[in-house]
Amino acid sequence: MKLLLTAFEPFGGDARNPAWEAVQLVQAPSPAIEITKLQVPTVFHDSIRTVVDAVAADALDAVLSVGLAGGRSSVAVERVAINVDDARIPDNRGNRPIDEPICADGPPACFSTLPIKAMVAEIRRCGLPAEISNSAGTYVCNHLMYGVLHHAAAQFSGVRAGFIHVPYTPDLVLDKPSHPASMALPDIVRALEAAICAIAAHQTDCKSAEGSLY
Ligand code: PCA
């Protein structure tokens, strides 16, 4: 399996982005898995262009994008991306779209084509907290997930794609009020490697109840 693994540059005033720090440390869990890594600008539209250009240049099987979700307490495997940008803070070029469609003629939402339930199960098997998330937000991560899935459906059939949000690392919460939840960097790395194992092992997802009541 040939996998493109992407993560974002720091944003929102943080000096580092643990998503990219973790991605840099990820090792292919088996010789049958070839991983290419790509840092993506935390910028609306440029982020999609960067990843879509990389997908077009290579014969890939899957794209796994990773972003920081500061405040989350577990690794969140995203189920769906919605066709809207609503930025609470500007991106790294000062863009701040409010209630704008990502793609004017695109569908309202795009579902992950990765085996999200198997990924959650495999991360938990490593002893790490993981969950299905039903919202990737309305900022650049949701934007990229939507853009990659929309392009994949239109131009790169056979390329599976999806998104994982990771928590802060402990060093990044020290100066934040009430110290939001965090996860050690080596654990985030292990979680991503487990998710990659699941992507390689499962062409179709397994069925398990992971929905939320509210
Ligand atoms: N997290 C942000 C954008 C970049 C990142 O790592 C998000 O969740 O939208």
Side-chain angles (χ1 to χ4, degrees):
M1 177 181 78
K2 255 183 124 173
L3 176 88
L4 176 66
L5 185 61
T6 83
F8 287 96
E9 60 190 11
F11 68 101
D14 280 331
R16 300 193 316 281
N17 189 331
W20 175 242
E21 293 187 333
V23 158
Q24 285 176 286
L25 295 170
V26 163
Q27 295 189 350
S30 106
I33 301 174
E34 193 187 314
I35 300 177
T36 308
K37 298 172 185 178
L38 179 67
Q39 192 185 37
V40 178
T42 307
V43 176
F44 289 101
H45 296 290
D46 285 3
S47 52
I48 297 176
R49 219 165 295 127
T50 301
V51 176
V52 167
D53 285 353
V55 176
D58 213 343
L60 295 167
D61 298 300
V63 183
L64 176 61
S65 301
V66 186
L68 166 67
R72 286 216 194 219
S73 55
S74 55
V75 174
V77 181
E78 300 294 346
R79 187 196 297 266
V80 62
I82 58 175
N83 188 7
V84 68
D85 290 331
D86 190 358
R88 204 166 41 77
I89 56 171
D91 70 11
N92 286 359
R93 292 246 166 80
N95 306 301
R96 202 178 160 201
I98 310 246
D99 296 344
E100 286 179 19
I102 299 166
C103 180
D105 53 1
C110 291
F111 285 88
S112 173
T113 47
L114 298 179
I116 56 170
K117 304 275 177 86
M119 291 159 75
V120 164
E122 197 61 36
I123 297 168
R124 288 189 193 144
R125 241 193 299 282
C126 298
L128 296 167
E131 64 185 355
I132 298 289
S133 162
N134 296 305
S135 171
T138 55
Y139 191 50
V140 185
C141 288
N142 171 77
H143 180 95
L144 177 66
M145 181 181 174
Y146 181 91
V148 172
L149 283 164
H150 185 45
H151 277 87
Q155 307 165 32
F156 310 114
S157 65
V159 180
R160 298 181 291 156
F163 201 97
I164 287 184
H165 264 122
V166 299
Y168 280 129
T169 44
D171 52 301
L172 287 172
V173 304
L174 290 179
D175 62 352
K176 294 195 165 63
S178 320
H179 301 331
S182 62
M183 186 180 278
L185 188 62
D187 286 340
I188 297 178
V189 174
R190 281 201 300 133
L192 295 178
E193 289 172 351
I196 291 166
C197 280
I199 295 167
H202 296 262
Q203 275 302 315
T204 52
D205 207 356
C206 40
K207 252 196 169 27
S208 61
E210 293 288 347
S212 60
L213 295 188
Y214 48 85

